[in-house]
Amino acid sequence: MMTSQHSITQRWFFLVLSLWGIAVLIAGYCGFFTKIDLIWIALLVVMGIKIPVAVYYSNADFHSYIRSLDLKYLTLFHLWRIPAGLWFLYYGSQNLLPERFAANAGYGDLAVGLLVPVVLLLRFRGRYTMFHIFSVLDFAIAVGTGLTFNLLQVPLMENIATFPTVMIPLFGVCVTGALSIMTLDRLLKGSAYTEAIGNS
């Protein structure tokens, strides 16, 4: 019965993710986000993280589904941050983004992404917990810098709304931020170490 419910929840999860990604892709490609104030980009990022987390804490089926996912896959997911980090660094080198933001987001994403295979090869208690704490801290610095620069309307931040770069904050960042919070919540609960060992 639980497996059946997880299958239904998984279908809804991937359907919502697909629709979300397609919506951002189409709107970004059509230049919609370049026509709105940067403050709205910041608010969309915040809401894109808060809404899934709110569903996680309020919906028992979704909460149970996230807790059933293999910690290896929740960690492997962060590999996408390697190309994202390289993209930010490239944009920064071309003076298309503020230097501080490009460095924080670029090097941070690279560090987290490159740590993924290291974490999967290690065999000690709490490795997943340590990785996801580091991931969330790095994420907070990068997103915090971006949101601050957006709110202050720092020159060059308007390029974050151009396609395809806008896919990173309005899709990748939102999904990563929400999943990171959920994963860390799961790991820091009572059975964290048992789950980590069981998934090793």
Side-chain angles (χ1 to χ4, degrees), residues 64-180:
S64 177
Y65 169 69
I66 293 297
R67 292 184 66 85
S68 74
L69 295 177
D70 194 317
L71 289 168
K72 290 178 183 177
Y73 298 129
L74 288 171
T75 302
L76 278 168
F77 172 76
H78 288 267
L79 284 172
W80 86 273
R81 295 173 70 171
I82 295 176
L86 291 172
W87 184 257
F88 278 132
L89 292 175
Y90 168 73
Y91 250 47
S93 71
Q94 300 301 304
N95 294 316
L96 295 173
L97 286 173
E99 182 180 355
R100 174 49 52 199
F101 171 69
N104 285 357
Y107 289 118
D109 278 343
L110 272 179
V112 172
L114 293 173
L115 270 177
V116 170
V118 177
V119 171
L120 295 180
L121 288 172
L122 293 174
R123 290 290 180 269
F124 69 89
R125 285 186 173 188
R127 67 188 186 280
Y128 289 119
T129 303
M130 291 177 64
F131 171 81
H132 286 283
I133 287 175
F134 174 73
S135 172
V136 168
L137 289 175
D138 165 71
F139 198 75
I141 292 171
V143 173
T145 304
L147 292 178
T148 301
F149 282 12
N150 267 358
L151 293 172
L152 295 176
Q153 300 195 1
V154 172
L156 297 182
M157 275 307 291
E158 64 270 10
N159 288 320
I160 200 73
T162 59
F163 185 81
T165 307
V166 73
M167 292 295 297
I168 298 176
L170 291 186
F171 184 69
V173 166
C174 296
V175 175
T176 304
L179 272 180
S180 293

